[in-house]
Amino acid sequence: MTRPAEGQIRVLGCSGSIAQGCRTTAFLLDDDVLIDAGTGVGDLTLDELTRIDHILLSHAHLDHVLGIPLLADSVMRRRQGRPPIQVHALPPTLAVLRQHLFNDQLWPDFTRLPSSTRPVLALHELQIGQTLTLGQQQRRIQVLPAVHTVPAVGYAVHGPKGVWAYTGDTGPNPALWQALRTLPLAQLVIEIAFPES
């Protein structure tokens, strides 16, 4: 757990796979904004899960999104009367979630449950370069470019003393470095996998 200027960032998972003691990527900003939703989300208590109001996704790969449907299922009844959990991602990422995850075949469509007028999840498109203001602390979060095998982004969480920046799986990315050069960077987390040979 780190406490950069912009608030508390809790590392829930930062492994590329699962095994004893390993969790896939997820970070909790303060207690209500989730950045990626890997298996690390499962270490949160039910009360902690219920407090999550926003999920920011870097890309659509399973190790970054698989916590979303289980989170929605776990908190649906506890969140009755509250606004839906807002899931923010690039349009192609949301399209993958709609087609392959929330399709009533692999998993129920939680953008229509418990009802279409009061769902537990709502999907929102974002764009690279956009700045969002999210959470109870009204954190300013900038969407960064990332390069991966599927459309991907990173995030820069702004605070008075600097920026905590994160990018999910990414390869060589001049646009990311250019964007980071313009920011008062305090901490940088880059997820990357290296071949074993």
Side-chain angles (χ1 to χ4, degrees):
M1 186 180 315
T2 63
R3 292 183 181 270
E6 60 281 349
Q8 179 174 307
I9 305 268
R10 182 174 168 188
V11 179
L12 302 176
C14 60
S15 302
S17 60
I18 61 167
Q20 185 176 6
C22 298
R23 310 286 186 275
T24 64
T25 307
F27 300 91
L28 186 62
L29 172 61
D30 299 320
D31 64 355
D32 57 345
V33 178
L34 192 60
I35 301 174
D36 275 339
T39 59
V41 174
D43 287 343
L44 296 174
T45 67
L46 193 52
D47 285 340
E48 289 172 319
L49 291 172
T50 304
R51 287 194 287 270
I52 295 170
D53 291 323
H54 297 274
I55 301 172
L56 298 165
L57 297 177
S58 63
H59 63 287
H61 282 159
L62 194 59
D63 57 326
H64 293 258
V65 304
L66 62 82
I68 300 171
L70 296 171
L71 184 157
D73 195 24
S74 298
V75 303
M76 183 166 55
R77 286 173 186 77
R78 299 188 85 178
R79 288 185 62 94
Q80 285 183 352
R82 292 178 59 184
I85 299 167
Q86 311 297 311
V87 179
H88 308 268
L90 290 173
T93 302
L94 295 179
V96 169
L97 295 182
R98 285 184 185 103
Q99 182 177 0
H100 299 293
L101 185 55
F102 300 121
N103 59 10
D104 289 323
Q105 295 175 34
L106 184 63
W107 204 258
D109 183 356
F110 285 107
T111 65
R112 295 186 296 114
L113 291 173
S115 72
S116 58
T117 57
R118 298 194 63 82
V120 68
L121 295 179
L123 306 181
H124 296 280
E125 295 181 358
L126 52 72
Q127 301 295 327
I128 294 169
Q130 181 178 355
T131 299
L132 308 169
T133 302
L134 299 178
Q136 294 175 6
Q137 302 298 321
Q138 291 293 284
R139 302 297 179 199
R140 195 164 61 96
I141 303 171
Q142 182 178 342
V143 184
L144 300 172
V147 174
H148 194 28
T149 57
V150 295
V153 297
Y155 297 101
V157 179
H158 291 256
K161 295 183 180 178
V163 166
W164 178 87
Y166 158 72
T167 180
D169 300 322
T170 194
N173 189 352
L176 172 65
W177 298 117
Q178 183 177 356
L180 292 175
R181 276 196 285 277
T182 68
L183 300 175
L185 197 60
Q187 296 176 335
L188 176 61
V189 177
I190 296 181
E191 185 174 43
I192 190 164
F194 294 95
E196 291 185 17
S197 56

